[in-house]
Amino acid sequence: MGQILFVVWRESIEALLIVGILYAWFNNGNASVHQGLLWLWLGVGTGLLAAISLGAVLIGFTEVLSSNAQDYFQTAMMLIACVLIVQMVIWMRRHGRTFKHDIEQSLVKQQHNANWWGVSLLTALACAREGSETVIFLYGLGFGRSGHINIMQWLAVLIGMTLALLTFYLLQLGSRIFSWRIFFRITEIMLLFLGVGLFESSVDKLIDKEIIPTGIDTIWDTSQILDDSGTIGSVIATMTGYRAHLALANLLAYVLFWLVVWILLRRTRNC
């Protein structure tokens, strides 16, 4: 539940940021652009509908697969979610500083061309992107994998969205409380740990399917200190990739993940 809440909270804030920038631009008192608000909300609705449709397809697809095929499909989705998380962090590092400016420049261009459909498409694509990433992340964490969604999962989504609205409001009050830059840096780190947790879970499934060897079955056993099958341990395992019984394959996967992230972040700084 905690992992689902975090993903919905973080991704909802990013979507709110995009919509907030667009809304502020259209609602600036200029009558010539104020009419674009209708196209803004049309784009938001279209983007959300696209994300919801993707979620329905994933859940429906799970129901028609055999048990063995489900395992492979879910492993692939966890790997995709992991890649998307890393890609999103790298993208934000590259474009975070000019993010607001780039959106506003695109809006000016659409206004000059009197192309409100372009504005709606821009909004729809932005919301669909964030929504689709959220859907894939949640599916990778187990949301709807069994073909249905229980009440606790829905509750986590609702709480995550509520916290996102509250966080967005507080951040809008200004940097005296908490700056956007610090917020995104902290959540980027949390997302990367969530990414390595998904990567380790996919490695576990591949080991179970005997696709990759363990190398050494148990390098260490810390289950007496923190069991990753317990309530707290399972949350930490998902959010950090922790394993109480660590195999060599898991250790190598953990090192590989952070090595790739380090190389990508270095390249981002050099751009």
Side-chain angles (χ1 to χ4, degrees):
M1 178 175 174
Q3 306 97 307
I4 293 172
L5 189 154
F6 170 73
V7 166
V8 173
W9 170 67
R10 173 57 171 75
E11 290 302 298
S12 296
I13 289 173
E14 196 162 322
L16 285 169
L17 174 61
I18 295 171
V19 175
I21 291 171
L22 296 170
Y23 180 81
W25 192 83
F26 282 120
N27 202 36
N28 62 5
N30 188 337
S32 65
V33 299
H34 189 74
Q35 59 182 309
L37 281 172
L38 175 63
W39 297 95
L40 167 66
W41 297 124
L42 177 62
V44 170
T46 303
L48 290 176
L49 182 61
I52 292 171
S53 299
L54 175 61
V57 168
L58 287 178
I59 294 173
F61 194 55
T62 299
E63 292 181 330
V64 301
L65 294 176
S66 65
S67 177
N68 195 46
Q70 281 187 26
D71 286 338
Y72 287 114
F73 179 68
Q74 290 165 9
T75 301
M77 292 305 298
M78 283 191 288
L79 288 171
I80 291 171
C82 175
V83 171
L84 284 176
I85 285 175
V86 175
Q87 181 271 335
M88 182 176 63
V89 170
I90 299 302
W91 187 88
M92 285 299 293
R93 283 292 182 98
R94 285 178 176 171
H95 302 283
R97 294 179 181 177
T98 61
F99 185 61
K100 184 174 183 291
H101 175 74
D102 292 343
I103 290 179
E104 290 178 342
Q105 285 294 104
S106 179
L107 289 172
V108 170
K109 182 179 179 181
Q110 301 296 343
Q111 181 199 2
H112 286 166
N113 295 334
N115 184 11
W116 296 119
W117 277 107
V119 170
S120 188
L121 180 62
L122 171 67
T123 312
L125 289 174
C127 291
R129 176 182 179 272
E130 299 303 326
S132 299
E133 285 180 350
T134 304
V135 167
I136 294 173
F137 295 164
L138 292 179
Y139 189 87
L141 290 170
F143 190 90
R145 271 196 214 162
S146 61
H148 70 277
I149 304 169
N150 63 50
I151 187 65
M152 295 304 294
Q153 289 177 324
W154 281 120
L155 182 61
V157 170
L158 180 61
I159 294 173
M161 294 179 68
T162 303
L163 289 176
L165 287 168
L166 178 60
T167 305
F168 181 77
Y169 171 75
L170 292 175
L171 288 170
Q172 290 295 335
L173 294 180
S175 58
R176 290 176 299 177
I177 296 177
F178 202 57
S179 72
W180 282 104
R181 183 175 178 275
I182 296 174
F183 170 79
F184 279 116
R185 284 294 178 266
I186 293 173
T187 55
E188 279 172 6
I189 294 170
M190 296 173 70
L191 276 172
L192 287 174
F193 274 107
L194 179 62
V196 76
L198 286 169
F199 190 53
E200 287 287 3
S201 295
S202 64
V203 169
D204 288 339
K205 282 187 171 291
L206 293 173
I207 289 174
D208 291 340
K209 294 294 182 182
E210 298 183 349
I211 294 176
I212 60 175
T214 57
I216 300 174
D217 290 340
T218 305
I219 296 178
W220 69 64
D221 182 355
T222 55
S223 58
Q224 297 299 319
I225 301 173
L226 181 62
D227 189 355
D228 58 12
S229 62
T231 303
I232 297 175
S234 62
V235 172
I236 293 175
T238 303
M239 295 296 290
T240 66
Y242 165 76
R243 293 294 182 270
H245 303 274
L246 187 73
L248 178 60
N250 289 114
L251 178 60
L252 293 176
Y254 201 85
V255 172
L256 175 64
F257 176 89
W258 289 113
L259 179 61
V260 170
V261 169
W262 178 74
I263 292 172
L264 292 174
L265 288 176
R266 274 190 60 115
R267 290 180 61 185
T268 302
R269 285 195 294 267
N270 294 333
C271 289

